[in-house]
Amino acid sequence: MFDYFLQQLIFALAIGAIYGLIALGYTMVYGVMRLINFAHGEFFMLGPYVYTFIFSGLIGLGGLAPVLDSVIAIVASFVIVGLLGVAIERFAYRPLRAYGRLAPMLSALGMSIVLQSAVRVTVGPQPVHFPAIVPSAPIESLGGMVTTVQVGILAAAVLLMVGLTLFVNGTRLGIWIRAASESWTTSSLLGIRVNRAVSLVFFIGPGLGAMAGIMYASYYGIMQPTMGSVIGLKAFTAAILGGIGSIPGAMLGGFLLGAIEVFGTAFLPILSFGYIGTEYRDVFAFAVLILVLLFKPAGLLGETVSEETTVAKKDY
Amino acid sequence: MNRTRVLLSAAALLFASSVMPAMADDIVLGGSAPMSGAQAEFGQSQIDGAQLYFDQLNEKGGIKGNKVVFRPLDDRADPRQGTLVAQQFCDDSAVIGVIGHMNSGVTMPALDIYSECGMPQVVPATNPELMRMGFKTVVRPVANDFIQGALPAKYVTEKLGLKNAVLVHDKTVFGQGIAGVFQDNFEKGGGKVSGTFGTNPEDVDFSALIASIKLENPDVVYMGAGMPQLALFLKQMREQGLKAQFIGPDIGFTVDFITQVGAASAEGALMTFQLPPYDSSPELKDFSDRHQARFGRAPGPYASLGFANAQVMAAAVEKAETLDREGVLAQLHGVTVETLLGPVAFDENGENTTAPMYLYIVKDGKFELIKQ
């Protein structure tokens, strides 16, 4: 039974790492702008498409060593999707700031449909095979089985998360982001260029989303234009579970949601002696979410925000 | 003002050229399947196959000297679009028969509309329920999902001697239904089903599920689901080292399945399909060549079915005393015809009495027919 548990824990960590990376995008944008960026799932979807485009372009041009091609394509996808995020914020969200919270949110929903349809029209709606970046090989240890892809995902995700934490807590630019999410008015009075902080957040969030997309496509071996919808919703859930606006909260929420899903599938039938099947996984996962919110409405690591501070923050 | 007039006349021209009226004595037959969207490859292949047969028929002088005009419309695999298409065919009194729709979910609501206007209908969709809803206007030459679930169950219990199965389905009418049919037949053959697992139709991660399936130590895994879920499941199953025999339904019978799983992991997987391969008989080979010549591409997955359905419809029209819906309908159920895919005759429900089903195995990155 311990082997089984360990095995499931590995699966939970791999999928949880991906949820966490996407949740970071939701939570950072919310932290700074109090906006739920519904287009975020599409940045996740764009990641593998941009990667494939650049990677096959490099191969077409003669290419370098395959490893180098991959690395260039990965970095380029981060930058391109990040810049797209910045552009979308600049042209689709910023002009609407003065009109309350509903208008930018609708704009985000529209953006999501635009991006998804654009990919569907240009590349086609069918799922496409995505070759694994790290060749998949099983590693057996402690009675469980791990694949190199899972290890790669976990390592890369943890690396990105640690990097982000250091960046936000230890650099000048990170101070901008934290200040802007505390209060726009005060930060701009103190000479912080709030719009730059917003652009920065809209670069990092989508970029991380794109990375998660590449990991995901490489894990499951396919990509398709609709892949961002369901997983975007789940990552959004993870962000709320951890406390939306909180960066460590998003990471925690991602891993937690992964664990709830996996252990729901793995242990519900066993614990209920077969009466509750695996098909109840989502019922279980979302029941947990509701329970957490009942006791901690701001999420696990979220700050309790009173109506007063919300108003102050909203008042850009 | 001037500009508006130019635009208007241009629009009128466009409109006139798109709805070219058929000549008075032409026989107009409708066809509908998804011709855009994710399932376009399947839908278009049926339409092409039917078109090929009607072209051939017209070259030989049509039916009783009347030219056949085939009018395909796109239903986008969407039930709402399907009912619109059905209404459109019904409203056009020139249309005296329809071949469609490809998806069971699209066919089901459309049946009502076709039956209301007395439209003779040849159905390519495979849900068993469709022919048991009491509509008298439909026949189905293709095998239904009862046969599709039964064949692999018989094969693994009798030929391979495998007795311990796990079922996975995506909780859809199709997936759950066909897994149930497999289970009935598998147990009849002396097998034991040690677990049934439900997933969501959109799921992509099956790793936790597969780990718990491994505890049951099955030697057969039957999966009733769509694509790409079939491919994702098998890929993850092999990654976890679960070596059980994998079986899936017709939806997985595409090259995408093998590329998405990877040829090595897909090796040995079984898949049921309603049609024989294009190189299995001289007639099919000939069909394939003519398809290549007519459309400039090899026939798609359901092209031969489209062709055979067109043969059935044409045979009913041929026998009809009057060339209208009533005339064709009177002959539809009694028609017996030797099609490209074998003999067709219908029972009281409108089901083909000898509908064949084929079992394929993935070998060296290709689907290969298992001879029975």
Side-chain angles (χ1 to χ4, degrees):
Chain A
M1 209 48 181
F2 180 69
D3 301 353
Y4 181 63
F5 176 82
L6 210 65
Q7 178 74 72
Q8 297 289 13
L9 186 67
I10 292 161
F11 298 140
L13 286 174
I15 186 74
I18 294 175
Y19 286 156
L21 275 184
I22 315 169
L24 280 171
Y26 281 106
T27 223
M28 285 172 74
V29 167
Y30 186 86
V32 175
M33 296 192 55
R34 297 294 177 270
L35 164 75
I36 292 161
N37 182 17
F38 281 110
H40 191 62
E42 312 315 327
F43 297 123
F44 163 83
M45 174 270 294
L46 281 170
Y49 278 98
V50 173
Y51 172 87
T52 310
F53 183 73
I54 293 178
F55 185 72
S56 45
L58 283 173
I59 300 281
L61 288 173
L64 311 148
V67 184
L68 211 54
D69 285 342
S70 287
V71 173
I72 293 173
I74 290 174
V75 174
S77 331
F78 190 112
V79 174
I80 290 173
V81 176
L83 289 177
L84 184 70
V86 173
I88 285 175
E89 189 276 326
R90 180 68 191 78
F91 295 108
Y93 302 160
R94 196 175 296 180
L96 298 171
R97 263 187 216 165
Y99 303 100
R101 294 166 83 170
L102 199 59
M105 200 168 83
L106 285 179
S107 182
L109 267 179
M111 218 51 236
S112 157
I113 296 170
V114 166
L115 291 174
Q116 198 182 112
S117 311
V119 172
R120 199 200 316 254
V121 170
T122 47
V123 207
Q126 69 284 0
V128 186
H129 175 61
F130 187 95
I133 298 173
V134 186
S136 174
I139 310 165
E140 286 207 47
S141 64
L142 292 168
M145 179 141 30
V146 200
T147 65
T148 44
V149 178
Q150 285 163 339
V151 175
I153 287 175
L154 206 56
V158 169
L159 216 63
L160 285 170
M161 288 176 182
V162 170
L164 181 73
T165 311
L166 292 178
F167 175 78
V168 170
N169 291 327
T171 65
R172 219 178 165 70
L173 292 173
I175 292 175
W176 288 10
I177 295 178
R178 281 185 293 147
S181 63
E182 279 291 317
S183 162
W184 280 39
T185 340
T186 316
S187 346
S188 50
L189 283 175
L190 289 173
I192 287 171
R193 278 178 276 193
V194 175
N195 278 331
R196 292 228 177 142
V198 170
S199 293
L200 193 60
V201 161
F202 267 95
F203 179 76
I204 298 173
L208 288 177
M211 293 300 99
I214 293 172
M215 292 176 192
Y216 181 89
S218 146
Y219 189 15
Y220 299 116
I222 59 163
M223 55 181 181
Q224 64 189 107
T226 51
M227 66 193 256
S229 313
V230 174
I231 199 153
L233 199 66
K234 287 201 172 150
F236 176 55
T237 313
I240 294 182
L241 191 64
I244 194 150
S246 149
I247 289 177
M251 302 175 190
L252 178 71
F255 283 114
L256 216 58
L257 186 69
I260 293 170
E261 275 192 2
V262 165
F263 289 117
T265 309
F267 291 106
L268 269 184
I270 297 177
L271 293 178
S272 67
F273 299 103
Y275 282 109
I276 300 179
T278 50
E279 59 268 30
Y280 286 92
R281 182 198 68 194
D282 286 354
V283 176
F284 176 68
F286 284 87
V288 170
L289 173 77
I290 293 170
L291 262 179
V292 169
L293 290 182
L294 282 179
F295 289 103
K296 290 198 70 103
L300 290 172
L301 300 184
E303 43 175 334
T304 323
V305 188
S306 69
E307 193 55 31
E308 217 168 292
T309 49
T310 327
V311 173
K313 279 180 180 173
K314 208 172 69 179
D315 193 19
Y316 342 103
Chain B
M1 196 63 201
N2 218 353
R3 203 164 138 217
T4 332
R5 201 179 293 160
V6 173
L7 272 175
L8 271 178
S9 48
L13 250 173
L14 257 175
F15 185 70
S17 58
S18 64
V19 274
M20 283 275 276
M23 303 297 283
D25 49 354
D26 279 354
I27 294 167
V28 185
L29 296 172
S32 189
M35 291 152 75
S36 60
Q39 303 188 33
E41 185 199 354
F42 292 91
Q44 188 64 49
S45 72
Q46 282 191 11
I47 299 292
D48 287 350
Q51 185 69 60
L52 194 62
Y53 180 70
F54 291 127
D55 285 356
Q56 223 171 290
L57 205 61
N58 286 336
E59 274 167 34
K60 289 182 194 147
I63 300 174
K64 295 178 186 162
N66 299 308
K67 201 166 142 273
V68 178
V69 177
F70 183 54
R71 192 173 289 165
L73 288 178
D74 185 5
D75 66 24
R76 297 188 226 142
D78 177 355
R80 286 163 299 180
Q81 186 63 23
T83 51
L84 289 180
V85 166
Q87 197 58 54
Q88 206 172 332
F89 281 138
C90 275
D91 292 345
D92 184 350
S93 57
V95 179
I96 62 169
V98 170
I99 303 170
H101 298 240
M102 183 182 99
N103 306 77
S104 298
V106 180
T107 308
M108 210 170 267
L111 280 176
D112 216 7
I113 298 169
Y114 287 123
S115 123
E116 200 101 306
C117 68
M119 182 73 81
Q121 194 187 354
V122 175
V123 172
T126 55
N127 187 300
E129 212 37 50
L130 294 175
M131 292 293 129
R132 284 161 187 74
M133 292 164 75
F135 292 108
K136 298 289 165 217
T137 44
V138 282
V139 291
R140 168 159 63 192
V142 72
N144 66 30
D145 292 340
F146 281 142
I147 306 172
Q148 166 151 233
L151 175 68
K154 205 164 137 64
Y155 180 77
V156 291
T157 48
E158 286 176 13
K159 289 270 166 58
L160 302 183
L162 305 176
K163 300 287 179 188
N164 183 17
V166 159
L167 308 177
V168 182
H169 63 75
D170 61 2
K171 291 190 285 185
T172 61
V173 177
F174 169 76
Q176 196 160 1
I178 198 157
V181 176
F182 179 86
Q183 172 166 20
D184 292 345
N185 288 278
F186 189 74
E187 285 170 348
K188 235 180 271 165
K192 184 174 133 306
V193 171
S194 49
T196 304
F197 298 86
T199 68
N200 291 329
E202 305 284 319
D203 272 355
V204 288
D205 188 90
F206 300 106
S207 45
L209 184 67
I210 291 165
S212 53
I213 290 176
K214 270 171 88 173
L215 296 181
E216 308 287 348
N217 204 13
D219 41 31
V220 178
V221 172
Y222 186 87
M223 186 172 190
M227 279 292 280
Q229 279 68 28
L230 286 167
L232 288 167
F233 187 90
L234 179 58
K235 179 172 186 277
Q236 293 170 28
M237 187 172 133
R238 295 297 185 233
E239 272 172 4
Q240 282 198 39
L242 176 56
K243 295 204 170 56
Q245 173 68 55
F246 180 84
I247 312 170
D250 53 356
I251 306 177
F253 189 76
T254 97
V255 186
D256 287 347
F257 175 80
I258 298 170
T259 45
Q260 285 170 11
V261 179
S265 298
E267 186 78 13
L270 291 173
M271 208 69 76
T272 42
F273 198 59
Q274 294 86 355
L275 308 172
Y278 289 115
D279 56 4
S280 62
S281 75
E283 291 80 21
L284 277 161
K285 243 184 238 150
D286 178 52
F287 165 78
S288 181
D289 291 344
R290 271 181 288 140
H291 192 286
Q292 183 76 39
R294 168 74 169 76
F295 298 107
R297 55 177 185 271
Y302 281 131
S304 57
L305 178 63
F307 190 91
N309 286 340
Q311 286 178 300
V312 172
M313 183 54 91
V317 176
E318 181 94 41
K319 278 176 72 186
E321 281 164 19
T322 53
L323 284 181
D324 51 18
R325 290 179 194 168
E326 295 80 51
V328 178
L329 196 53
Q331 299 301 330
L332 191 62
H333 277 78
V335 93
T336 52
V337 49
E338 189 62 37
T339 70
L340 179 66
L341 302 172
V344 169
F346 299 107
D347 66 11
E348 70 282 359
N349 286 329
E351 295 268 27
N352 186 357
T353 47
T354 53
M357 181 59 69
Y358 300 87
L359 194 61
Y360 289 82
I361 187 164
V362 178
K363 214 167 187 183
D364 303 326
K366 276 197 203 99
F367 284 106
E368 213 177 276
L369 183 70
I370 295 178
K371 300 226 163 49
Q372 304 284 317

